Amino acid sequence: MFLQLLGALRRPLLNLPSFAAVNPIIPTSRSILINRALLIPQTLSLPSLCDALGQRRFASRGTEYQPSQRKRKRKHGFLSRKKTSTGRKILARRLLKGRRFLSH
């Protein structure tokens, strides 16, 4: 049902029929279930629906990086690079490229 609701919202709002045009008589429970996607008020739009559901396109961020010297050295430090074969390849590439610092 939610996908039908989104499908109805993606269509242009001018083409949505009004409530009277969809059901000129008193609707039964079955017709309400069938035509629920067409009974959306014309002021409702997809962004407001997403806000109501708790989904935002651009949420405020910025709390991911909490710097720690210990974690940085353990993940990206020289000794951790020397331990593994891929780490040694990284050090060799950086040495060939002429980097001033090979690792942290």
Side-chain angles (χ1 to χ4, degrees), residues 13-48:
L13 291 177
L14 298 175
N15 294 341
L16 281 177
S18 65
F19 178 76
V22 173
N23 288 326
I25 58 172
I26 298 173
T28 63
S29 62
R30 184 175 183 152
S31 66
I32 288 176
L33 289 175
I34 294 170
N35 295 323
R36 189 176 298 266
L38 300 175
L39 301 178
I40 302 166
Q42 292 187 0
T43 58
L44 184 65
S45 65
L46 188 59
S48 65

Side-chain angles (χ1 to χ4, degrees), residues 8-101:
L9 287 175
R10 287 187 186 134
R11 289 185 220 121
L13 291 177
L14 298 175
N15 294 341
L16 281 177
S18 65
F19 178 76
V22 173
N23 288 326
I25 58 172
I26 298 173
T28 63
S29 62
R30 184 175 183 152
S31 66
I32 288 176
L33 289 175
I34 294 170
N35 295 323
R36 189 176 298 266
L38 300 175
L39 301 178
I40 302 166
Q42 292 187 0
T43 58
L44 184 65
S45 65
L46 188 59
S48 65
L49 177 69
C50 290
D51 288 344
L53 295 175
Q55 298 172 353
R56 306 272 331 228
R57 185 174 201 123
F58 300 107
S60 62
R61 302 192 74 160
T63 59
E64 290 86 6
Y65 182 63
Q66 300 296 323
S68 168
Q69 288 286 338
R70 183 176 296 168
K71 286 185 180 181
R72 182 173 65 95
K73 294 281 190 178
R74 282 185 181 168
K75 289 182 184 179
H76 310 289
F78 184 80
L79 293 178
S80 64
R81 296 282 195 223
K82 288 292 279 188
K83 279 181 192 176
T84 62
S85 62
T86 55
R88 288 189 293 270
K89 288 178 185 175
I90 291 171
L91 291 175
R93 275 198 314 263
R94 291 180 68 84
L95 188 66
L96 285 173
K97 192 169 185 178
R99 293 279 188 185
R100 185 172 175 193
F101 301 107

